[in-house]
Amino acid sequence: MSQAHLDFGTPNYAAEAFLVSEETAAAWAALDQWRTWPGGVFCLFGEAGSGKSHLGAIWAEKASSHVLKGTDLTLQFAEAPAVSGKLVALIDEADQADETALFALLSRLEREGGAVLLLSRQPPSQWPFGLPDLQSRLKAIATESLKAPEQKLLAQLIVRYAAAKGFKLDEPSATYLAARIPRTFEAAKAVTACLETVATSSLKTPMALAQRALRALYPNDWTDEQAQSSDLFEA
């Protein structure tokens, strides 16, 4: 799908905005037990839009963690003494890190303890690093994958996001949207945010609002002509 370039603001990564479901329950539970991670390290992986950034942000807030990108991980950071207590850090796109710095970080956790959450699209065993010692350590890291959300979950999220923005969207309207957008959390947030940009007094029903938002967000996939010919749209 080709999404229109509309500005919907920054993502809402608050804990109350995250919906624990069958797809995310195992990851949620694992992050809640972060003090007992084997070797002090855990990897959450999944495709873009699977929710790992949201979960990571919730964990970072709870654990008072340093937050950095893999490309910003340096040997100096990996070896610098913790200001207070043990090192606690979240590393997004960890597969893009310098392998020497990442090896030093994992070695430090093994020696001193602490906790590091790694986020990536692929499991650590598939990261493109050449150091044999680093490869063996990556294969031993505890992991949890996040899969694309099912349609039922997307519909529930859309209803929740809409309510947070002051729109009462019924289940049929949310299900309609969930069946027509990409199966990602970002798509659910984007289409719900789009409700604000298309809301007018002429849209008499929640379904009409949902259909207008879908058409505005994906203009190349849902055009006026398609709406008129297929009778999918009320507005």
Side-chain angles (χ1 to χ4, degrees):
M1 282 188 173
S2 176
Q3 181 175 324
H5 295 288
L6 304 176
D7 182 11
F8 299 121
T10 57
N12 180 8
Y13 284 157
E16 60 270 18
F18 191 86
L19 183 61
V20 181
S21 65
E22 291 182 10
E23 294 92 338
T24 60
W28 181 273
L31 297 191
D32 193 49
Q33 301 297 318
W34 62 276
R35 291 182 177 83
T36 63
W37 289 343
V41 61
F42 189 84
C43 178
L44 191 60
F45 68 93
E47 293 298 323
S50 61
K52 59 184 181 295
S53 293
H54 193 163
L55 272 173
I58 293 171
W59 177 82
E61 177 71 20
K62 181 187 300 184
S64 300
S65 163
H66 294 280
V67 178
L68 64 157
K69 293 283 189 181
T71 50
D72 296 326
L73 177 62
T74 63
L75 193 59
Q76 180 181 12
F77 177 87
E79 296 180 340
V83 175
S84 61
K86 298 177 181 179
L87 175 65
V88 180
L90 179 148
I91 303 176
D92 195 8
E93 299 177 353
D95 56 324
Q96 303 299 313
D98 175 81
E99 63 179 8
T100 302
L102 183 58
F103 180 72
L105 184 69
L106 297 180
S107 299
R108 175 181 178 175
L109 290 173
E110 191 174 87
R111 293 192 312 268
E112 303 176 5
V116 170
L117 175 61
L118 306 173
L119 304 180
S120 69
R121 294 193 180 188
Q122 300 295 329
S125 60
Q126 298 180 16
W127 294 355
F129 295 126
L131 288 175
D133 288 344
L134 176 57
Q135 289 179 339
S136 64
R137 293 198 180 195
L138 292 176
K139 291 176 182 178
I141 291 175
T143 66
E144 186 64 49
S145 65
L146 285 175
K147 300 177 178 61
E150 297 294 336
Q151 181 177 318
K152 181 179 179 181
L153 173 59
L154 278 183
Q156 292 173 342
L157 287 168
I158 290 170
V159 169
R160 174 182 285 196
Y161 295 155
K165 293 182 175 296
F167 294 98
K168 184 173 177 58
L169 207 61
D170 57 18
E171 184 177 338
S173 302
T175 300
Y176 169 90
L177 288 172
R180 290 163 173 80
I181 63 175
R183 284 175 53 196
T184 69
F185 293 96
E186 276 76 6
K189 293 172 184 175
V191 77
T192 310
C194 191
L195 295 173
E196 292 182 303
T197 73
V198 301
T200 69
S201 59
S202 65
L203 299 176
K204 303 300 184 182
T205 67
M207 181 63 77
L209 180 60
Q211 292 166 343
R212 180 68 63 81
L214 182 72
R215 188 168 58 190
L217 192 59
Y218 300 105
N220 293 334
D221 297 287
W222 302 96
T223 64
D224 291 333
E225 290 75 14
Q226 287 176 314
Q228 294 169 0
S229 61
S230 63
D231 198 29
L232 281 174
F233 293 95
E234 298 179 15

